[in-house]
Amino acid sequence: MSLLATGLFNLLNYWVYVSLMMIGLYAVIAKTNLVKKVIGLSLFQTGIFIFYISMGVVSGATTPITWTDAERLRLGLSRVEVAPERAAAALAAVEEDGLDAARAALGPLAPADAARLDELLARPYTNPLPHVLILTAIVVSVSTMAVALAIVMEIKAAYGTIESDEIVTAELETARAARS
Amino acid sequence: MTLTPQVPALVVLVPLLAGVVIGLVRHAGLAWLLASLASVTTFALTLALAARVQAEGVVIYAMGGWAAPTGIELRVDALNALVLALVAGMAAVIVPTSRASVAREVPADRHDQFYALVLLCVAGMLGVTATGDAFNLYVLIEISSLTAYALVALGRSRDRRALTASFQYLIMGSIGASFLLVGLGYLFLATGTLNMADMAVRLADLHGSTTVRTGVAFVIVGLSLKMALFPVHQWMADAYTYAPTSVTALMASTATKVGVYITIRFVYTIFGHELSFVIMPTDAFLLAFACLAIVVGSLQAIRQHDVRRLLAYSSVAQIGYLVLGLALGSALGLSGTLVHLLNHALVKGALFLAVGAVVYRQGGATMHELTGIARRMPLTAAAIAVGGLGLIGVPLTGGFVSKWYLVAGALEAGLWPVAVVVLVGSLLAVAYVLRLLQVVYFGEPGTVAPEPAGEAPASFWAPALLLLLGSVALGVSGQLTGGLIAAAAGALAGGAP
Amino acid sequence: MISGLNPGFLLMAGALLIPLLPRLLRQGWLVALPLLSAAQLLTLDRGDRGEVTLAGVTLHTLFVDDLSFTFALVFHLALLLGSIFALKVEDATQHVSAVLYGGAAIAACLARDLVTLFICWEVVAVASAFLIWAQRTPRAYQTGMRYLAWQILSGLLLLAGILALVVERGGPAKLTGPLVFEALPLDGAAGWLILLAFGIKAAFPALHTWLSDAYPEATPTGAVFLSGFTSKLAVYALARAFAGQEVLVYVGAAMAIFPIFFAVIENDLRRVLAYSLINQVGFMVVGVGIGGLGVSGAAAHAFAHVIYKGLLFMSTGAVLFRTGTADANQLGGLYRTMPFTAVCCMIGAASISAFPLFSGFAAKSLIMVAVAEDHRPGVWFLLLFAAAGVFHHAGIKVPFFAFFGHDSGKRPPEAPWNMCLAMGLAAALCIGIGCYPPVLYAILPGPITADYAVYTAAHVITQLQLLLFSALAFCVLMLSGRYPPELTSTNLDVDWLWRRPGRVVWRELTGPIAANFGRLQALLLEGLPAAVSRAVMRPLRVDGLAARFWAMRTSVLVTVVLLLAYLLVGAVHAAR
């Protein structure tokens, strides 16, 4: 049970993305309605977006924007137990002498807190590159949807239906008529 | 300011910007003129670029001045210089001569859109070929694909089935591209870079972790879809059948070829020999499906009544040859693939142009409409005949040279059955080509469809014969095949990125 | 003339001009072209020249020695005679393919290396098929396809043999010089593959069906060309590569014997000639198998044979041209209005039967002597029997049933002047060579010289006895009414052994895969009941029109399966 739980939660983002992809593919395969197929395709691609976005995550890290040392320290301090005066001293020190001096001014911390703070200061932000990539991919996806829906509209105009089985029937009748 | 250093970027930018401008002009004749100018200019640029690669070696261009790996770079070596020239060259031949065909098959108020889409599609393919950045590759693939879906759908005024064909193409194409995207995600996860050269270096150090292997699998399957490798080839048969004929001519000679190029790039340059062939069984996987493609594609081609569909299935088989050569993993096999790539592009382009002439005169391209056209349309018939012989791989055409390399490569690797498949494939090609030629030359005209009024305009057969001349030159001239291709194959087999 | 140019290439290039020329000019060109090419051949020196670089491979396209010269010369003669015979044919396609065909055969004879040979071999195959299709009937189309399938198979076997040879010699990397076309050993796959390739073209027993199947379906003029080149090219190739191979003696003897029975019961005179062609090639193959004098005999026989067999096909072609049929039971009594054709036909018949003073005698005697000198009495008697059979069916039957026999009442006019001219020239050659054999012996390869004495009492008497007894047998059978009647019938050859199962295999192979590929998918993946599926898919069989949506579904499914399979195989592969 615990193994299952570990597998489930540690790889949660993968489970989510694979599930979304599979749901999307199922819709593409099983739905006869062309718009639903397009929705399936969209879901499929959304799964991939989640995969990309989640891969950039660094646990405990900040958003990927430019931080000054002081801002980063302030964020770190808000996540640990520390006396206010020592925090103020550290903030003063960071303005003067940088992060290392501030860390010294802070004095000893509880081991868990120290680890968390050090990690935050060392890896300060999540990887922004996947986000940027996926921004582009979303644009691509939206364009695909647009083209797909445009074609579906044309199909509706040409066949009077967007159900694939009815279109097949219509084509069969055309073929039959052409032969006889 | 001199433009010379900017040539790699211009190769992509000229058709891209021209496409946007043409989309705005709203005048059929002007759109055609601009598109012709742009495609010819682009071809000239690719030739200049190829000359530069010949002289200087690999040309690297950092987009916007941002150096790789931060920025996106275009990276052109002997291999993609060749493919760039091929794509632009086909566009330069087909776009200017397409006017009569487009006038017949596409509604007049859509001509500006048509030419805009064609140029965007070409720009996308050129970008895909030139780029040195994996994610950029994905985006450009989607640009060329999205425009291709729309172009296929433009065939609807002739046959509404173009719409369903286009829809299918869209679904399959998007899934293929998405698989590629997932694969690139895994590779990015493992290496932390999207620059192809950079990625190649880092992948070599990873020795195939699970993440890398998953990425490879997604990329290869995604590319198989894009190349229309059997058994995921169905979209191509439909799209080629119902698209406007000049679109089919352009796509049949470029789109799948670019797909094959990307596959070569990934398998040889990015993954490298160890990851592709030792850690992952890419060779066995691709070989198996390539052989199936050759046999099944040819068998399906034999049974077709619509000649465009016949040619599309023949493309399925020909893609089998292309993939077979690259899956052999040897310089010999890869040379075969490259000669075949060039030759098949020329031959298929010419054949679809000739079929376009028949559509222009006869309104369709089934066996009925082709019956006995040789009497009234001798030049078109000649193009079909020579093109058909090129498909079979008759000596003196490039097809013979490439099949020679492929068979020799298979024998060198000790794969007798594969050599047999290549030969059997030729035999099946004989069957479908001669069935076609028999109808064209010996069918009694006027019995099943009215006899054509006369030869089609020169804008159909002249480019077709020109392309076939290229194919014959490829079959006859040792320098043409030997020089560039040996260089490209050597560089790849050495694994240099 | 042009140094180092293979005359065959000259012809092939010239063939491409034909469709561009107006009618009169074209006729002149058709006659001038073989003459030009022959002049080129005659000015060539013996030796190896004509290197051409093709796609990075250096080809040695020219090699003239006695053997190749003999065959190239007679092919020129055949092309010239055939072109004159076909001069008035309006269909440019036929002219182009005939000249291409002849040119390729000549080029193949003079080829120095195997790659050039293969290229010409394939051109021969494709160009000749057009001579059958040019008949423009569905039946001719089917026949042409079968014919071409065999020819292409032969080409593929040759290619496979060449590649196997490359591998046997250590792979492409170790290959330095050209792959010279020379004597090949029969000790590995390469030799046997190439032998089989030649064997198909030479119409070895059981591989011969394309010949008796296709030649009678060709156009009247096309059959003349067909009879000249393909099988004799194969004899040349055998003589070059496999001279003295024991196995050929037995194969050749079988070839000489078995067609006789088919020829006797056959009604279509052109098919009779096709069978007798196989029989004649059998003699040549025996000669090649013996080697030495036998090869000279084979070359001499091929030389004479091309001319008199061409003459026979021309005369039956003229009959077919004038009456629209070549069936024995519908002909007869034509000598009244086609006397010239009748005389020519009889000269051809006398030649093929090897009457003294006719060309067949001068040639066939050499083979018989070679067999006797090699101490093979069994083979000698078999060939003697075969020679008697030839006289029987080709020597008597063809002229008898066409021009004499029962009067069919047909009164066609004499053949056109160009046909008569071609037949007259061929007949003159037959008699000329027969009366003065040294002209032939002077050019032959092997130990034979111009002063070889062929008209010895023993030779002449043996042959005359043989012919008289054979004629006697024919008379007795005819008079007693026991001769197989001339009926419209279909005689089963080993064809059906190939065709029946071939058709079944073909149908089973292409049917399900090509037409029902989609149906198969539907059955497997969609779970539709078979009946529904069939009902739905039947209209789609033509080009799978509306199959798109389920094709899309299955394509997507297949994609996923592919991915999983590849991942799984990859994982297993990596684990090993």
Side-chain angles (χ1 to χ4, degrees):
Chain A
M1 183 60 214
S2 68
L3 192 68
L4 183 70
T6 323
L8 202 64
F9 288 111
N10 280 4
L11 300 172
L12 186 61
N13 57 327
Y14 290 92
W15 286 113
V16 169
Y17 115 81
V18 170
S19 310
L20 271 176
M21 273 177 76
M22 288 302 124
I23 293 169
L25 275 180
Y26 171 79
V28 173
I29 295 169
K31 295 294 170 188
T32 55
N33 186 305
L34 298 189
V35 172
K36 288 186 181 168
K37 278 187 195 286
V38 175
I39 294 174
L41 190 65
S42 177
L43 266 178
F44 175 77
Q45 292 179 325
T46 308
I48 300 172
F49 303 159
I50 289 182
F51 166 58
Y52 263 78
I53 293 167
S54 66
M55 91 168 77
V57 167
V58 178
S59 60
T62 64
T63 48
I65 48 177
T66 309
W67 297 75
T68 63
D69 284 350
E71 285 166 334
R72 203 177 303 158
L73 183 66
R74 200 169 290 127
L75 181 83
L77 291 176
S78 71
R79 297 196 184 170
V80 295
E81 294 277 327
V82 63
E85 63 277 10
R86 282 207 290 170
L91 283 171
V94 80
E95 299 287 351
E96 300 291 318
D97 307 314
L99 274 177
D100 289 338
R103 187 70 184 81
L106 211 52
L109 290 169
D113 280 352
R116 188 184 297 168
L117 185 61
D118 287 342
E119 190 188 336
L120 192 65
L121 293 182
R123 286 193 292 153
Y125 55 87
T126 59
N127 189 346
L129 190 54
H131 301 185
V132 180
L133 297 180
I134 237 52
L135 214 56
T136 318
I138 288 172
V139 174
V140 170
S141 168
V142 168
S143 321
T144 312
M145 289 310 110
V147 176
L149 291 173
I151 294 173
V152 172
M153 281 171 65
E154 293 279 346
I155 289 179
K156 169 79 176 170
Y159 289 87
T161 175
I162 54 166
E163 294 291 329
S164 61
D165 46 358
E166 290 173 19
I167 295 171
V168 171
T169 318
E171 282 298 345
L172 286 180
E173 275 161 13
T174 319
R176 216 168 276 146
R179 277 184 314 133
S180 60
Chain B
M1 185 188 80
T2 170
L3 280 175
T4 320
Q6 316 294 334
V7 164
L10 286 175
V11 162
V12 184
L13 286 179
V14 166
L16 191 70
L17 295 178
V20 174
V21 170
I22 292 166
L24 302 172
V25 297
R26 306 221 156 275
H27 182 278
L30 193 57
W32 167 77
L33 191 67
L34 283 174
S36 305
L37 279 176
S39 53
V40 172
T41 312
T42 311
F43 183 42
L45 287 171
T46 56
L47 289 182
L49 187 57
R52 204 170 129 192
V53 171
Q54 192 91 329
E56 301 174 14
V58 181
V59 172
I60 296 172
Y61 179 88
M63 284 297 234
W66 295 81
T70 316
I72 292 170
E73 65 173 11
L74 302 180
R75 199 180 180 92
V76 184
D77 60 12
L79 173 63
N80 50 1
L82 173 80
V83 179
L84 284 174
L86 172 72
V87 173
M90 294 305 299
V93 170
I94 293 172
V95 170
T97 57
S98 67
R99 206 167 173 208
S101 163
V102 172
R104 188 59 59 98
E105 297 180 36
V106 179
D109 60 331
R110 301 259 178 179
H111 283 195
D112 49 341
Q113 294 176 12
F114 175 88
Y115 286 112
L117 286 171
V118 166
L119 280 188
L120 289 176
C121 185
V122 169
M125 289 191 287
L126 291 171
V128 165
T129 312
T131 188
D133 182 277
F135 194 81
N136 195 226
L137 176 102
Y138 162 76
V139 176
L140 288 163
I141 281 185
E142 285 290 43
I143 288 181
S144 65
S145 302
L146 284 171
T147 46
Y149 309 146
L151 283 170
V152 172
L154 276 177
R156 82 184 184 302
S157 55
R158 193 162 48 84
D159 191 325
R160 63 179 180 177
R161 283 171 294 192
L163 292 170
T164 48
S166 163
F167 188 76
Q168 183 193 18
Y169 183 14
L170 182 140
I171 297 281
M172 295 315 297
S174 298
I175 289 176
S178 301
F179 269 42
L180 182 64
L181 186 59
V182 176
L184 291 178
Y186 279 110
L187 294 177
F188 174 63
L189 208 54
T191 62
T193 181
L194 285 166
N195 182 279
M196 290 182 186
D198 220 14
M199 196 184 265
V201 173
R202 298 196 194 180
L203 279 176
D205 298 334
L206 289 171
H207 303 294
S209 66
T210 314
T211 314
V212 170
R213 293 207 309 271
T214 314
V216 170
F218 269 102
V219 167
I220 294 290
V221 174
L223 289 177
S224 302
L225 258 168
K226 279 285 164 199
M227 288 188 291
L229 178 64
F230 180 89
V232 282
H233 61 284
Q234 191 63 39
W235 63 264
M236 188 173 81
D238 292 321
Y240 285 10
T241 310
Y242 300 114
T245 323
S246 40
V247 170
T248 308
L250 184 64
M251 280 175 42
S253 51
T254 53
T256 47
K257 309 298 168 290
V258 171
V260 171
Y261 158 75
I262 306 170
T263 311
I264 296 178
R265 196 47 102 197
F266 268 98
V267 168
Y268 286 90
T269 312
I270 301 181
F271 300 158
H273 191 271
E274 192 200 356
L275 180 54
S276 295
F277 299 136
V278 182
I279 298 173
M280 288 296 276
T282 311
D283 44 355
F285 179 83
L286 290 180
L287 264 185
F289 288 114
C291 289
L292 280 170
I294 292 170
V295 175
V296 179
S298 304
L299 283 175
Q300 282 184 301
I302 291 173
R303 288 292 181 98
Q304 298 308 319
H305 181 61
D306 189 316
V307 176
R308 273 173 303 197
R309 210 170 176 79
L310 184 155
L311 294 177
Y313 277 116
S314 132
S315 281
V316 172
Q318 304 294 328
I319 287 160
Y321 290 114
L322 293 171
V323 173
L324 189 148
L326 79 90
L328 285 173
S330 63
L332 218 49
L334 204 53
S335 305
T337 295
L338 293 180
V339 180
H340 204 72
L341 187 110
L342 215 55
N343 178 63
H344 182 237
L346 295 169
V347 166
K348 257 307 149 50
L351 278 170
F352 273 114
L353 285 173
V355 167
V358 180
V359 174
Y360 181 81
R361 276 282 175 229
Q362 299 282 73
T366 63
M367 288 289 179
H368 285 165
E369 274 109 10
L370 264 83
T371 302
I373 57 162
R375 191 189 302 175
R376 288 290 171 83
M377 305 173 73
L379 291 161
T380 306
I384 294 177
V386 178
L389 295 179
L391 277 187
I392 300 173
V394 170
L396 301 184
T397 64
F400 177 71
V401 182
S402 57
K403 282 184 186 170
W404 179 269
Y405 278 125
L406 291 180
V407 172
L411 289 177
E412 188 192 50
L415 295 165
W416 275 95
V418 173
V420 170
V421 164
V422 174
L423 296 181
V424 166
S426 313
L427 199 60
L428 294 173
V430 169
Y432 63 72
V433 167
L434 287 182
R435 179 164 163 256
L436 184 61
L437 293 191
Q438 201 272 339
V439 167
V440 168
Y441 277 93
F442 296 117
E444 207 47 55
T447 46
V448 280
E451 192 170 7
E455 182 58 88
S459 64
F460 287 96
W461 50 259
L465 292 176
L466 181 72
L467 295 179
L468 290 171
L469 203 65
S471 162
V472 172
L474 199 61
V476 177
S477 158
Q479 276 140 351
L480 212 64
T481 43
L484 196 54
I485 283 163
L492 283 167
Chain C
M1 285 176 38
I2 309 158
S3 158
L5 175 72
N6 187 327
F9 296 156
L10 192 69
L11 285 169
M12 288 198 266
L16 300 178
L17 270 182
I18 293 172
L20 307 176
L21 298 173
R23 194 161 158 276
L24 265 176
L25 215 55
R26 179 196 294 168
Q27 293 185 349
W29 183 235
L30 279 174
V31 178
L33 195 54
L35 290 174
L36 266 176
S37 168
Q40 164 73 6
L41 174 70
L42 292 171
T43 53
L44 287 172
D45 300 324
R46 301 289 195 265
D48 177 6
R49 273 177 316 170
E51 291 179 20
V52 173
T53 302
L54 193 69
V57 185
T58 301
L59 299 180
H60 294 238
T61 56
L62 187 62
F63 179 65
V64 188
D65 64 357
D66 287 345
L67 184 64
S68 57
F69 179 81
T70 308
F71 279 86
L73 185 64
V74 75
F75 283 173
H76 274 101
L77 273 174
L79 188 63
L80 179 65
L81 294 174
S83 292
I84 296 174
F85 187 73
L87 206 57
K88 289 197 168 178
V89 172
E90 291 292 331
D91 183 3
T93 318
Q94 279 192 55
H95 289 305
V96 176
S97 37
V99 178
L100 265 181
Y101 175 34
I106 290 164
C109 275
L110 295 168
R112 177 57 163 160
D113 69 318
L114 284 163
V115 179
T116 313
L117 178 77
F118 166 75
I119 293 174
C120 300
W121 201 259
E122 292 288 36
V123 179
V124 163
V126 175
S128 56
F130 278 83
L131 292 173
I132 299 163
W133 283 331
Q135 190 75 322
R136 295 172 197 262
T137 58
R139 191 182 151 94
Y141 168 61
Q142 296 290 340
T143 311
M145 270 298 179
R146 285 197 297 272
Y147 168 83
L148 191 65
W150 277 107
Q151 302 300 315
I152 297 283
L153 182 65
S154 162
L156 285 180
L157 286 170
L158 179 58
L159 183 61
I162 295 172
L163 287 166
L165 199 65
V166 172
V167 172
E168 279 175 17
R169 293 189 180 169
K174 287 198 179 164
L175 215 60
T176 46
L179 274 169
V180 176
F181 183 34
E182 58 197 357
L184 296 168
L186 275 181
D187 57 0
W192 286 104
L193 282 169
I194 294 177
L195 179 63
L196 204 58
F198 293 168
I200 290 178
K201 274 242 194 329
F204 279 5
L207 305 177
H208 72 278
T209 56
W210 58 268
L211 197 154
S212 50
D213 180 28
Y215 284 15
E217 302 297 337
T219 59
T221 53
V224 177
F225 293 106
L226 286 171
S227 75
F229 301 121
T230 302
S231 53
K232 260 58 73 185
L233 174 59
V235 170
Y236 162 76
L238 287 170
R240 172 75 69 202
F242 300 109
Q245 292 286 0
E246 182 76 13
V247 58
L248 290 181
V249 176
Y250 305 110
V251 172
M255 281 174 75
I257 296 293
F258 85 90
I260 292 175
F261 304 102
F262 288 108
V264 168
I265 56 171
E266 181 56 53
N267 185 32
D268 184 334
L269 292 181
R270 293 205 298 169
R271 188 160 278 129
V272 172
L273 290 177
Y275 278 118
S276 90
L277 195 153
I278 299 173
N279 151 292
Q280 297 287 303
V281 173
F283 279 86
M284 301 173 210
V285 172
V286 171
V288 170
I290 286 170
L293 181 62
V295 173
S296 311
H301 198 180
F303 195 100
H305 174 85
V306 166
I307 297 167
Y308 61 67
K309 183 58 77 178
L311 177 56
L312 285 168
F313 266 106
M314 282 191 233
S315 53
T316 46
V319 168
L320 176 66
F321 177 73
R322 283 299 191 209
T323 66
T325 180
D327 287 349
N329 62 341
Q330 297 182 28
L331 294 171
L334 299 185
Y335 74 94
R336 292 180 182 81
T337 54
M338 300 180 79
F340 187 80
T341 309
V343 169
C344 287
C345 183
M346 282 160 67
I347 293 173
S351 298
I352 197 172
S353 314
F355 264 98
L357 300 183
F358 290 93
S359 62
F361 179 80
K364 204 181 280 175
S365 302
L366 294 184
I367 295 178
M368 297 304 281
V369 170
V371 173
E373 284 183 358
D374 209 37
H375 306 295
R376 295 173 186 274
V379 177
W380 194 81
F381 275 110
L382 279 177
L383 291 190
L384 212 57
F385 172 72
V390 174
F391 178 51
H392 201 133
H393 60 75
I396 302 180
K397 178 170 177 169
V398 171
F400 182 80
F401 283 109
F403 298 101
F404 306 99
H406 71 274
D407 190 355
S408 62
K410 289 193 169 74
R411 296 288 179 268
E414 182 56 88
W417 67 266
N418 63 307
M419 290 192 176
C420 287
L421 177 63
M423 289 189 284
L425 286 173
L429 278 170
C430 284
I431 297 174
I433 293 172
C435 293
Y436 191 64
V439 289
L440 176 59
Y441 295 163
I443 60 167
L444 287 184
I448 198 112
T449 50
D451 52 5
Y452 181 83
V454 69
Y455 284 107
T456 61
H459 289 169
V460 174
I461 289 170
T462 317
Q463 187 65 18
L464 281 179
Q465 280 174 343
L466 187 75
L467 295 171
L468 286 176
F469 276 107
S470 186
L472 188 65
F474 183 80
C475 292
V476 169
L477 285 174
M478 274 315 273
L479 293 175
S480 63
R482 291 212 174 80
Y483 196 81
E486 305 313 314
L487 295 174
T488 311
S489 60
T490 305
N491 299 319
L492 279 185
D493 194 346
V494 283
D495 275 50
W496 69 270
L497 265 182
W498 302 120
R499 270 150 85 172
R500 277 293 291 279
R503 200 174 298 148
V504 171
V505 169
W506 181 249
R507 199 169 49 220
E508 293 304 312
L509 208 68
T510 65
I513 297 176
N516 304 333
F517 182 68
R519 197 162 95 193
L520 210 66
Q521 283 182 328
L523 273 171
L524 292 177
L525 297 166
E526 301 287 297
L528 288 176
V532 176
S533 168
R534 204 172 306 125
V536 171
M537 289 312 151
R538 184 169 298 134
L540 306 186
R541 205 170 286 161
V542 181
D543 54 356
L545 306 168
R548 199 147 310 129
F549 286 101
W550 54 254
M552 186 162 83
R553 293 172 181 185
T554 49
S555 286
V556 176
L557 255 179
V558 166
T559 313
V560 177
V561 172
L562 271 186
L563 177 72
L564 292 179
Y566 190 46
L567 277 172
L568 205 68
V569 174
V572 173
H573 193 82
R576 270 196 298 129

